[in-house]
Structures are given as C-alpha cells and as structure tokens.
Amino acid sequence: EIVLTQSPGTLCLSPGERATLSCRASQSISNTYLAWYQQKPGQAPRLVIYGASTRATGIPDRFSGSGSGTDFTLTISRLEPEDFAVYYCQQYGGSRFGGGTTVEI
Amino acid sequence: QVQLQQSGPGLVKPSQTLSLTCDISGDSVSSNSAAWNWIRQSPSRGLEWLGRTYYRSRWYSEYASSVNGRIAINPDTSKNQFSLQLNSVTPGDTAVYYCARGRFYFDKWGQGALVTVSS
C-alpha cells in the first residue's frame, strides 16, 4: 500500500508569487501514474494534472507538474487570486490520495 | 459536456444502508473507455476512493479494501446512472460523497452530497 505525503501542509503566499507543492510516495509509482487536484471550499475537486505532467483540459499553463519515482511536484508559476485552494495528489493504483496542501494568502 | 448529478438522502441511521445515485449526461455508463466511481471525503479520512464500476465487454466492479464486504456499486443502463449502496453504516461513514468519472484519474465529478450517519 503506497502512502502519499504532501508538504508543506500550508503554503502562505501572495498573488504573483511562485508556489511549489511536494508529493512524496512511500514506494516508487510506476509510469508517472500520478494526478493533482484543486479543491475550493464547498466544491468538488477539479483535475489539474494527470500523468504527472499533463495539464487537464482548461487548466492554464501557469500550472505545471513534474517528477517520477517517489517525488513529484506541482508548480504554480505566478499565483492568481483564483489559485488559492487546497491541492491533492493521487496515485492511480489503489486510487489513494495525499493529505493535501493548502495554498493561502 | 459531461455532467454528473447526485441524489440521495442526507441522513442515514446507524446499521442501515446508505444509498446514492449518480445520473450521467454527456457520456454513457456503458462506455468501453470510462469508469464510474464513488469517492468520499471527511476530516478524519481525507479523500477516500470507495470503488468503481465499468464495462469492458462485461461489467466489472472493484472496491476499496476498507469497505469491501459492505459496498455495492451497480450500473443502471436504462437510466444511464450508477449507484452506491453501503451497508451497516456507522457514524464513521459520515462524509461528503462524490461520484466521479475516470479509470485511473478523475476528470469529472458530481456536486457532492453530505451524508450524516446518526440516530
């Protein structure tokens, strides 16, 4: 059973700054089978990245994903006001989610 | 565009069965490329995938070990929907329940429904 650990728990940044979110797996994830989601209060999660680095439909190019094996990163190059939310990583096998990183002002 | 619309009671008594339905528009429950999932979210458990159903020449269902034995996810092709039944619920099953589309990752989600288990 793979466990996903996200860090930091909370990221305090300002609009225009760069956000770097980490997702670490307890075992290697094959074939970059990792996704990222954004969730705002009262809403369902929204797919941001799949295959570790492919942006989902409608996701702006300030979002990028990278990594392989056990270490993955979601980067938001310049934060817009609508990007402040909770972000979760998810590995395909077993469909397990990380605990989330809150990006707040 | 694909939309998922959930329905079902928001309050279930302990030991009873939680039942939710997810209506699909813009896609087919019988699609040979999609899978149809139930996921829940609570402060104690975070986001937890519960199971999926999908069609690949025949119907398959897969369930998380944490709820296996208490859960059934079934398609209804006549109504283009799928359902969740979770038996013998306890207060620990209180959560926001989501339906979602995806075989490996989840690209479409229902609006979510809070289900409270309480007497």
Side-chain angles (χ1 to χ4, degrees), chain B residues 32-45:
Chain B
N32 268 296
S33 59
W36 304 98
N37 303 264
W38 287 99
I39 296 163
R40 68 183 178 183
Q41 185 174 29
S42 66
S44 58
R45 295 174 177 267

Side-chain angles (χ1 to χ4, degrees), chain B residues 78-95:
Chain B
S78 67
K79 297 179 180 178
N80 201 32
Q81 64 183 204
F82 63 108
S83 63
L84 166 69
Q85 287 198 310
L86 187 64
N87 303 322
S88 305
V89 297
T90 70
D93 292 310
T94 295

Side-chain angles (χ1 to χ4, degrees), chain A residues 7-79:
Chain A
S7 62
T10 302
L11 202 49
C12 296
L13 295 168
S14 300
E17 291 192 296
R18 182 185 188 89
T20 302
L21 288 66
S22 172
C23 177
R24 179 161 290 177
S26 59
Q27 302 171 43
S28 181
I29 295 176
S30 58
N31 297 327
T32 61
Y33 283 168
L34 188 106
W36 290 92
Y37 299 84
Q38 175 194 72
Q39 188 177 32
K40 297 179 180 179
Q43 297 183 16
R46 176 192 183 194
L47 179 67
V48 177
I49 296 284
Y50 62 93
S53 61
T54 303
R55 279 189 302 277
T57 302
I59 300 299
D61 61 6
R62 63 180 179 272
F63 288 87
S64 63
S66 62
S68 62
T70 60
D71 291 301
F72 297 85
T73 300
L74 175 68
T75 302
I76 310 170
S77 59
R78 293 173 309 279
L79 283 164

